[in-house]
């Protein structure tokens, strides 16, 4: 089919590879092409849908992509595998049913879909070439035929789902009810009980902590730690040891003179009166105004004041109309005038956008900056480049020397003018002495064994660090003294949470009996606040998202609700008032609400249709599960988790 796009142009844009890889990977999350593995077909088929087969390698590849995309830990993979298989089967079942109902996708329709979804395949309207396209697909274990079959399948599924959506009806009553739900507002009174409000009252006694520690000793361990000798190269210190000679700088200057050429520039100020996008009849009036402004300038009028009052160039108003330009930065007519006028001269210049009152302040000819002018900058650049090269050399030499002799890092550091820092009992993810937190260096040393050397790692402050592991200390149980602070915090937190819930319930009971949340809160030393009006999607000042108090929208005025847990507190509230929406604004939102409800109904109908279709095809024998292959697949992941 792709011969429709055949082109002699074989140029391939750099971005095509990445895009095609991305498209192929994303399609694999729901498209499962079949291909031969060379094994016995009965051993590798997970399921059959009509004449299509879903193979074991296909599902394994999909699982791998799912793990990468969602970062699922291996131990929970077995819970997701049945869902992954069901999703694949559902896609094939929908395509099967669409074909059975007579839906078709022509080559022309497929070609148009590919053009729309992957426009980079057709730079300047020409296909990049079948050979290169096939090569990119081959990197994903896909052929052109498989890729296009998958595309056709998705087009069929989309058409089938569109039919379900087209048959969805949303009544005026449903639209009004949804409008009311979206736009109804409430006002509440609420009391926040901070998560640690009662923490001071719940501090545990020494014996209580010891008892808790004994009962939960397995929770308190010291993970594997390492002793690491770190060697640090500091670019700032190294810069102090290198200085270029005048000969070095002169050579650099001679080799890079183009960098030091200053173009011809003009410093000027301008007042712009636009004719662009204005009636042609106004031009004479604008020209007369420009001439009058020029007279005022020549008579000694304040250019800055005239700019602020009359100029239509918003870009130069903050600088009182002043700009510095080189050739090629202005409209041709304006540039000719700017570079022709002498400093102090003024003129009115007509350009394609309007009339400019221009006054030249300074005119500098193109020139080459002298060596003395750029010597300081050259020295700074030379030192940075030199030190950068030295840092690389030092880190390479240090790594090689440490690998050869890991027992004497101090000797290596002395020879290379590096700082030595000892890090004892370093845990993964914890800061290092001297350099602080460094995820890259942490990763570099975490898996090392005793005597092994890390790769050099760049860290903050223009430094490079590498380390040699001098000891690996295995995990061990913590002593009570080591775990005491954690035990204390855990017990206090548990007690505090229980106390908060107890007092929140007490507050609710009092508020209901007294009929007044504010009085109930005051009697318990708490403060009640009253919110502004908010809707379901809004926020409550001092509380956060309205999602915390969604319950309140369904309660009558005066009702007490809660306790509600937020990120930092427990909340008890009282509904003060419901504010009904303005129905006169319903027409403005009717179409959007209708389409939203229609989409939701369509999704619901599709879900029911998919489930019913799958069950029906199983009964008809059109869907066949190969349970032995599925069990073998599940076992392989359970065994690896």
């Amino acid at each position: 089919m792709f011969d429709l796009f055949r082109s002699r142009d074989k140029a391939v844009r750099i971005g095509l590879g990445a895009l095609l890889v991305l498209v192929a990977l994303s399609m694999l999350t729901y498209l499962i092409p079949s291909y031969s593995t060379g094994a016995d077909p009965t051993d590798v088929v997970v399921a059959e849908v009509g004449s299509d087969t879903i193979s074991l390698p296909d599902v394994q590849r999909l699982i791998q992509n799912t793990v990468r995309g969602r970062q699922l830990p291996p131990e929970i993979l077995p819970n997701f595998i049945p869902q992954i298989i069901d999703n694949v089967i559902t896609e094939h079942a929908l395509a099967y049913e669409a074909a059975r109902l007579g839906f078709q996708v022509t080559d022309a329709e497929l070609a148009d879909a590919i053009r729309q979804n992957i426009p980079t395949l057709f730079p300047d309207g020409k296909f990049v070439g079948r050979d290169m396209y096939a090569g990119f697909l081959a990197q994903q274990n896909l052929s052109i035929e498989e890729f296009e079959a998958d595309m056709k399948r998705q087009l069929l599924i989309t058409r089938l789902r569109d039919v379900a959506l087209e048959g969805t009806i949303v009544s005026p009553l449903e639209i009004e009810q949804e409008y009311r739900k979206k736009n109804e507002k409430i006002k509440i009174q609420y009391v926040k009980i901070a998560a640690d409000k009662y923490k001071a009252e719940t501090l545990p006694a020494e014996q209580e902590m010891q008892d808790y520690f004994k009962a939960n000793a397995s929770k308190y361990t010291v993970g594997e730690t390492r002793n690491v000798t770190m060697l640090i190269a500091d670019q700032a210190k190294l810069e102090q040891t290198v200085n270029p000679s005048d000969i070095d700088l002169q050579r650099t200057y001679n080799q890079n003179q183009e960098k030091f050429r200053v173009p011809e520039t003009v410093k000027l100020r301008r007042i712009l009166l636009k004719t662009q996008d204005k009636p042609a009849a106004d031009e004479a009036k604008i020209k007369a105004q420009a001439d009058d402004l020029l007279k005022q300038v020549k008579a000694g009028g304040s250019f800055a004041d005239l700019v602020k009052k009359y100029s239509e160039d918003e870009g130069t108003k903050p600088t009182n109309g002043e700009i510095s330009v080189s050739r090629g930065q202005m409209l041709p007519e304006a540039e000719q005038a700017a570079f022709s006028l002498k400093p102090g001269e003024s003129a009115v210049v007509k350009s394609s956008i309007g009339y400019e009152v221009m006054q030249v302040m300074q005119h500098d000819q193109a020139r080459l900056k002298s060596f003395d002018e750029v010597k300081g900058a050259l020295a700074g650049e030379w030192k940075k480049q030199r030190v950068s090269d030295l840092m690389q050399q030092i880190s390479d030499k240090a790594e090689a020397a440490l690998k050869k002799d890991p027992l004497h890092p101090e000797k290596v550091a002395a020879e290379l003018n590096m700082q030595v820092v000892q890090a004892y009992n370093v845990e993964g993810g914890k800061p290092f002495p001297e350099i602080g937190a460094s995820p890259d260096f942490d990763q570099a040393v975490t898996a090392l064994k005793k005597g092994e050397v890390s790769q050099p790692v760049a860290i903050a402050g223009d430094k490079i660090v590498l380390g040699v592991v001098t000891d690996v200390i295995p995990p061990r149980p913590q002593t009570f003294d080591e775990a005491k602070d954690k035990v204390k915090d855990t017990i206090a937190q548990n007690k505090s949470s229980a106390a908060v819930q107890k007092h929140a319930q007490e507050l609710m009971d009092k508020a209901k009996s007294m009929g007044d949340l504010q009085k109930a809160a005051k009697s318990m030393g708490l403060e009640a606040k009253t919110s502004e009006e908010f809707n379901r999607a809004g926020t409550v000042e001092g509380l956060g998202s309205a999602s915390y108090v969604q319950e309140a929208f369904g309660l009558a005025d005066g009702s007490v609700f809660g306790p509600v847990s937020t990120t930092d507190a427990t909340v008890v509230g009282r509904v003060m008032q419901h504010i009904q929406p303005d129905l006169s604004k319903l027409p403005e939102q009717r179409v959007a609400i209708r389409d939203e409800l229609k989409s939701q109904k369509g999704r619901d109908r599709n879900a029911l249709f998919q489930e019913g279709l799958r069950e029906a095809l199983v009964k008809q024998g059109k869907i066949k599960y190969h349970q032995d292959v599925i069990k073998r697949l599940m076992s392989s992941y359970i065994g690896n988790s």
Side-chain angles (χ1 to χ4, degrees):
M1 196 293 302
F2 235 91
D3 288 336
L4 291 171
F5 303 125
R6 189 178 297 279
S7 168
R8 294 181 182 177
D9 179 12
K10 294 188 177 181
V12 181
R13 301 300 184 262
I14 292 175
L16 174 61
L19 173 64
L20 209 50
V21 169
L22 176 62
V23 171
L25 283 174
S26 65
M27 291 183 71
L28 287 176
T29 61
Y30 55 85
L31 302 176
I32 305 296
S34 59
Y35 57 88
S36 174
T37 63
D40 183 348
T42 59
D43 290 337
V44 297
V45 176
V46 173
E48 298 174 61
V49 180
S51 61
D52 290 344
T53 59
I54 300 169
S55 72
L56 182 62
D58 293 333
V59 177
Q60 289 172 328
R61 181 175 57 185
L62 181 60
I63 291 170
Q64 291 169 1
N65 291 332
T66 303
V67 172
R68 282 198 298 268
R70 301 181 184 178
Q71 298 181 339
L72 295 177
E75 61 269 18
I76 68 171
L77 258 181
N79 299 325
F80 283 84
I81 291 174
Q83 179 184 337
I84 291 171
I85 294 173
D86 278 346
N87 289 343
V88 174
I89 291 173
T90 297
E91 295 286 350
H92 280 259
L94 288 169
Y96 173 87
E97 182 67 7
R100 191 187 68 80
L101 293 173
F103 291 99
Q104 294 181 348
V105 177
T106 66
D107 284 351
E109 290 169 334
L110 176 59
D112 185 57
I114 295 175
R115 284 181 183 274
Q116 291 181 12
N117 285 281
I118 320 176
T120 313
L121 286 175
F122 308 93
D124 302 321
K126 297 179 181 179
F127 177 50
V128 294
R130 183 182 180 89
D131 292 341
M132 294 303 300
Y133 176 59
F136 284 122
L137 288 178
Q139 294 176 13
Q140 306 305 314
N141 294 321
L142 287 170
S143 67
I144 288 176
E145 290 72 21
E146 289 167 342
F147 186 83
E148 292 176 4
D150 293 334
M151 287 286 287
K152 278 189 175 183
R153 184 183 301 125
Q154 286 308 302
L155 290 172
L156 286 173
I157 292 170
T158 298
R159 290 185 181 179
L160 191 63
R161 285 172 171 162
D162 286 345
V163 169
L165 187 61
E166 289 171 4
T168 303
I169 297 174
V170 178
S171 70
L173 178 60
E174 288 174 312
I175 295 174
E176 181 179 331
Q177 289 173 339
E178 184 65 16
Y179 172 81
R180 289 181 180 276
K181 184 178 179 180
K182 282 179 173 291
N183 294 280
E184 177 189 25
K185 294 183 178 181
I186 61 172
K187 198 174 188 178
I188 65 169
Q189 192 175 63
Y190 67 90
V191 177
K192 282 181 68 173
I193 305 176
D196 59 352
K197 179 173 178 59
Y198 302 103
K199 192 172 183 178
E201 304 172 10
T202 55
L203 293 178
E206 183 78 9
Q207 188 60 49
E208 185 179 6
M209 289 190 287
Q210 290 186 1
D211 292 343
Y212 183 90
F213 176 74
K214 289 178 182 178
N216 299 275
S218 60
K219 296 181 180 179
Y220 300 97
T221 60
V222 177
E224 184 178 76
T225 61
R226 283 168 173 73
N227 295 340
V228 182
T229 300
M230 303 187 299
L231 275 64
I232 303 171
D234 189 332
Q235 182 170 317
K237 291 181 180 178
L238 196 57
E239 283 183 6
Q240 297 173 9
T241 67
V242 296
N243 287 293
S245 67
D246 283 354
I247 295 176
D248 292 326
L249 298 182
Q250 186 69 56
R251 185 187 304 114
T252 304
Y253 174 77
N254 292 338
Q255 292 173 349
N256 298 275
Q257 286 192 357
E258 288 303 315
K259 291 173 56 178
F260 308 117
R261 294 193 182 280
V262 179
E264 182 183 8
T265 58
V266 170
K267 184 178 181 181
L268 56 87
R269 46 191 179 186
R270 64 198 291 243
I271 302 169
L272 174 63
L273 304 178
K274 291 184 179 180
T275 56
Q276 192 177 46
D277 299 327
K278 292 182 181 180
D282 291 351
E283 183 166 346
K285 181 180 177 182
I286 296 171
K287 169 72 165 60
Q289 185 182 17
D291 290 338
D292 180 65
L293 290 173
L294 178 62
K295 290 179 182 179
Q296 294 184 53
V297 169
K298 289 184 174 182
S302 170
F303 207 102
D305 290 344
L306 295 174
V307 167
K308 291 177 182 177
K309 188 173 182 180
Y310 297 105
S311 183
E312 296 178 81
D313 182 0
E314 298 301 325
T316 59
K317 267 191 174 182
T319 61
N320 296 325
E322 293 184 10
I323 53 171
S324 291
V325 294
S326 56
R327 291 189 181 274
Q329 294 182 326
M330 302 180 73
L331 294 170
E333 305 91 336
E335 179 177 294
Q336 183 178 359
F339 285 87
S340 299
L341 293 172
K342 296 178 181 179
E345 290 184 342
S346 306
V348 171
V349 182
K350 174 69 169 71
S351 72
S352 58
I353 62 172
Y355 288 91
E356 292 187 33
V357 180
M358 181 186 298
Q359 184 180 67
V360 173
M361 303 168 67
Q362 183 178 329
H363 190 155
D364 296 319
Q365 297 299 323
R367 68 185 184 89
L368 174 66
K369 287 185 178 180
S370 68
F371 173 72
D372 289 338
E373 287 180 279
V374 300
K375 183 177 178 180
L378 280 172
E381 291 181 10
W382 186 95
K383 291 181 72 169
K384 285 185 178 179
Q385 182 59 50
R386 176 63 178 154
V387 168
S388 177
D389 294 340
L390 287 174
M391 291 282 282
Q392 184 63 54
Q393 294 172 20
I394 288 171
S395 62
D396 290 344
K397 289 179 180 178
E399 183 179 10
L402 282 175
K403 286 182 177 179
K404 190 177 294 185
D405 183 12
L407 298 179
H408 300 92
E410 294 83 359
K411 180 181 176 182
V412 175
E415 291 175 353
L416 297 173
N417 195 26
M418 300 178 76
Q419 180 184 4
V420 178
V421 176
Q422 299 292 345
Y424 297 104
N425 296 313
V426 176
E427 292 185 65
K430 298 295 179 64
F432 292 86
E434 187 67 27
I435 68 172
S438 175
D440 291 338
F441 185 60
D442 181 72
Q443 185 177 3
V445 300
T446 295
L448 297 182
K449 299 176 183 177
K450 182 177 180 179
E452 291 184 337
V453 179
S454 77
Q455 293 180 336
V457 174
I459 57 175
D462 293 327
K463 298 178 181 180
I464 291 177
V465 60
L466 67 164
V468 56
V469 175
T470 57
D471 199 5
V472 177
I473 300 93
R476 63 173 177 80
Q478 282 186 317
T479 64
F480 173 71
D481 287 339
E482 289 174 325
K484 186 174 181 179
D485 288 341
K486 289 182 180 178
V487 170
K488 180 179 179 181
D489 289 342
T490 299
I491 297 175
Q493 182 62 45
N494 291 342
K495 285 188 170 185
S496 177
S497 297
V500 166
Q501 290 299 316
K502 175 185 175 183
H503 288 292
Q505 188 60 52
E506 180 186 351
L507 176 60
M508 282 191 65
D509 294 341
K510 280 191 173 184
K512 288 177 180 178
S513 64
M514 298 171 67
D516 191 323
L517 177 61
Q518 189 165 7
K519 287 183 179 179
K522 190 174 181 180
S523 70
M524 295 176 60
L526 300 169
E527 179 184 7
K529 296 182 179 180
T530 301
S531 74
E532 299 293 332
E533 300 172 0
F534 61 91
N535 60 23
R536 285 177 169 83
T539 57
V540 185
E541 185 178 358
L543 187 59
S545 171
S547 61
Y548 289 125
V549 293
Q550 289 293 302
E551 172 192 1
F553 284 90
L555 300 176
D557 291 353
S559 300
V560 177
F561 63 91
V564 176
S565 295
T566 68
T567 54
D568 62 347
T570 297
V571 176
V572 173
R574 180 171 180 264
V575 181
M576 302 292 289
Q577 181 185 6
H578 283 73
I579 299 92
Q580 296 303 318
D582 182 359
L583 288 177
S584 68
K585 295 183 179 179
L586 172 58
E588 300 173 12
Q589 301 181 31
R590 184 180 298 278
V591 173
I593 293 175
R594 181 203 64 199
D595 291 346
E596 184 181 333
L597 289 174
K598 191 173 182 180
S599 295
Q600 183 58 54
K601 282 191 171 186
R603 289 192 293 271
D604 294 342
R605 287 181 62 175
N606 267 319
L608 292 172
F609 171 70
Q610 289 172 188
E611 184 178 352
L613 173 64
R614 195 168 59 240
E615 291 177 357
L617 291 180
V618 169
K619 290 179 180 178
Q620 296 169 20
K622 300 299 183 182
I623 293 179
K624 297 177 182 178
Y625 291 84
H626 291 227
Q627 295 294 347
D628 55 333
V629 180
I630 294 174
K631 288 179 181 177
R632 192 164 70 246
L633 175 66
M634 294 282 290
S635 298
S636 68
Y637 282 96
I638 292 173
N640 293 329
S641 62

